[in-house]
Amino acid sequence: MSALSALETALENRWEALWARMSGRDPLELVDALRRECDSNAVVCHAGRVMVPNAYDVELSAPVHEELTRRGDSVGQVLTDRLARHAARKGYEWAGPLTVHVRRSAEVPNGRYRVASTVMRHVSAVGFRRAAQPVDG
């Protein structure tokens, strides 16, 4: 491990500890769940390339969701950053642009979460503009 990687890991651990104290929750468990989801869906392609899903859904129980969003943190962005660093360390390639969507779910028991991943195809800016244009008919 290089000195820069060790420093990054140390800073990340300190930030997680601070976040846990401020929110009363340990975010490491949720970050680890995202990492496990990513690792368990990795596919080795030709020439040693490892592809992983790029769209992650995190469902939180209502109290946890409200607690995290009340503080004004961009939880989805924090989780996206953590997952991106994990993939970079492992040498993974995303199947498209990485997104982590966090939402409230009444189906998740109090204080828990659910994590799922899919491959969401990339839509180019040109394709997006075409899809937004009205169809003549």
Side-chain angles (χ1 to χ4, degrees), residues 24-26 29-30 59-65 67 105 108-114:
R25 299 228 166 263
D26 187 2
E29 185 178 344
L30 185 54
E59 295 178 81
L60 301 172
S61 62
V64 173
H65 185 271
E67 180 180 320
S105 174
V108 178
N110 188 22
R112 301 303 306 160
Y113 56 86
R114 189 177 322 165

Side-chain angles (χ1 to χ4, degrees), residues 5-6 33-34 36 44 78 94 102 127-128 130 135:
S5 293
L34 279 168
R36 280 191 307 274
V44 178
V78 170
W94 301 109
V102 179
F128 184 74
R130 279 191 205 132
V135 178

Side-chain angles (χ1 to χ4, degrees), residues 25 29 52 54 57 85 90 93-94 104-105 113:
R25 299 228 166 263
E29 185 178 344
V52 292
N54 63 317
D57 290 315
R85 283 190 289 236
K90 294 271 194 165
E93 293 182 40
W94 301 109
R104 174 190 334 227
S105 174
Y113 56 86

Side-chain angles (χ1 to χ4, degrees), residues 30-42:
L30 185 54
V31 172
D32 281 344
L34 279 168
R35 290 174 182 156
R36 280 191 307 274
E37 180 71 16
C38 181
D39 292 343
S40 66
N41 289 292

Side-chain angles (χ1 to χ4, degrees), residues 35-93:
R35 290 174 182 156
R36 280 191 307 274
E37 180 71 16
C38 181
D39 292 343
S40 66
N41 289 292
V43 176
V44 178
C45 300
H46 63 86
R49 292 176 58 194
V50 180
M51 300 295 292
V52 292
N54 63 317
Y56 293 80
D57 290 315
V58 177
E59 295 178 81
L60 301 172
S61 62
V64 173
H65 185 271
E66 285 188 26
E67 180 180 320
L68 291 176
T69 56
R70 179 181 56 229
R71 293 182 303 118
D73 288 348
S74 177
V75 178
Q77 186 61 52
V78 170
L79 295 173
T80 301
D81 293 345
R82 297 290 171 77
L83 194 55
R85 283 190 289 236
H86 171 72
R89 278 185 229 133
K90 294 271 194 165
Y92 293 159
E93 293 182 40

